Amino acid sequence: MAEWLLQANPILLALLATLFTWSCTAFGASFVFTTEEASPKLFDAMLAFAGGVMIAASFWSLLDPAIEMVKEQGIPPYIPAAFGFLLGGMFLLMVDRVLPLINENMYFKDITSGRAKQRTAKLVLSITLHNIPEGLAVGVAFGILAIDFSTNALYGAIALAIGIGIQNIPEGIAVSVPLRREGLSVKKSFFYGQLSGMVEPIAAIIGAIAVYFMEPLLPYALSFAAGAMLFVVVKDIIPASHERGNVLLATMSLLFGFVLMMVLDLAFG
């Protein structure tokens, strides 16, 4: 099985992996069919757990491989890692500030309150934006297979996809359940919930193609994805998991998420 995967096109593997992560988002969004209100404690625990998974993935699946690649090139390993990492964070900051707000009146016309429309639109847009660096990270991780045809690289990429898939479940819930609560139909709430994860396959293809055709940029691309992921965790995921007062629960969940991803990456990657 591993041999077949190693012989497959890395771009195709990146697409398949992010179709899996998207399906996890859709699974989370499907909770709207059974409940209109997510348990605050469960939601915060899942969100923080996802943050821990992303923190661990940003190092073991992205930054560490980038540093090792640069060591083999004979240049100071901290230069591409630091530059790419900061560039990834700054890119997300720029996108967060510059990207115009979607037309909430067009997409959420079923919601009568203007303030609720704007809040809902920001929520959907925010989570959709967060899925871009996650898709890029998976794409870059599988793109490495075009250069490093090893089971270590393969299992590392698979572990990253599994970790991101796990953290996509609460994201799907975070979009669909509030939409339903604001008055959208169950079907529309599910549609927008799963739609937020569909940017990941697109971003993954872009990341894999970039690595496939621009090998010297690989350490920078890996570090860029790591910086973007950590920006999302620190700016949004951790604060959101604390805002309802479940700080201790969220903290412990983050630690467990970190440990799980670390074990997955070290055991299989």
Side-chain angles (χ1 to χ4, degrees):
M1 181 66 173
E3 290 182 3
W4 178 85
L5 289 172
L6 287 169
Q7 292 172 1
N9 188 302
I11 299 172
L12 174 62
L13 292 178
L15 175 61
L16 293 175
T18 44
L19 286 175
F20 161 75
T21 62
W22 163 76
S23 71
C24 291
T25 305
F27 173 71
S30 70
F31 276 55
V32 76
F33 290 106
T34 59
T35 180
E36 294 186 12
E37 188 69 46
S39 165
K41 286 189 176 182
L42 176 62
F43 181 81
D44 290 344
M46 291 181 71
L47 202 59
F49 182 87
V53 167
M54 291 174 71
I55 292 172
S58 68
F59 176 74
W60 273 282
S61 295
L62 298 170
L63 267 182
D64 189 47
I67 291 169
E68 290 302 317
M69 286 175 190
V70 176
K71 283 181 180 177
E72 296 174 3
Q73 297 173 7
I75 62 175
Y78 54 82
I79 293 177
F83 179 78
F85 185 86
L86 291 174
L87 190 64
M90 294 302 294
F91 173 76
L92 260 289
L93 176 63
M94 221 169 33
V95 169
D96 211 31
R97 295 283 178 87
V98 174
L99 200 68
L101 186 66
I102 60 176
N103 187 338
E104 65 269 13
N105 290 316
M106 179 185 298
Y107 294 102
F108 305 114
K109 56 177 179 280
D110 295 350
I111 300 175
T112 55
S113 167
R115 182 173 296 180
K117 281 183 184 179
Q118 190 175 64
R119 183 174 64 248
T120 302
K122 284 181 178 178
L123 172 68
V124 175
L125 180 61
S126 173
I127 292 181
T128 301
L129 286 176
H130 295 169
N131 285 330
I132 294 174
E134 294 166 11
L136 282 171
V138 174
V140 168
F142 278 95
I144 295 174
L145 297 176
I147 302 156
D148 179 12
F149 286 90
S150 68
T151 53
N152 283 345
L154 173 64
Y155 290 142
I158 292 173
L160 177 62
I162 291 172
I164 289 177
I166 291 170
Q167 68 90 35
N168 276 358
I169 296 173
E171 286 188 357
I173 298 171
V175 174
S176 62
V177 171
L179 286 175
R180 177 60 180 154
R181 193 165 57 239
E182 297 290 0
L184 260 68
S185 68
V186 171
K187 288 183 179 179
K188 278 192 175 181
S189 299
F190 170 76
F191 174 76
Y192 286 118
Q194 62 82 33
L195 192 64
S196 66
M198 290 192 72
V199 296
E200 286 188 359
I202 299 169
I205 291 172
I206 294 171
I209 289 174
V211 171
Y212 194 79
F213 291 104
M214 294 179 283
E215 181 179 340
L217 295 180
L218 182 54
Y220 296 92
L222 287 166
S223 303
F224 178 93
M229 285 181 67
L230 225 26
F231 178 90
V232 170
V233 173
V234 176
K235 179 181 177 293
D236 295 295
I237 290 180
I238 293 176
S241 68
H242 288 186
E243 65 184 13
R244 283 171 286 268
N246 298 311
V247 178
L248 181 59
L249 174 64
T251 302
M252 295 307 299
S253 297
L254 186 143
L255 294 178
F256 279 113
F258 182 93
V259 169
L260 174 66
M261 187 62 199
M262 178 182 68
V263 170
L264 280 174
D265 212 302
L266 293 177
F268 298 105

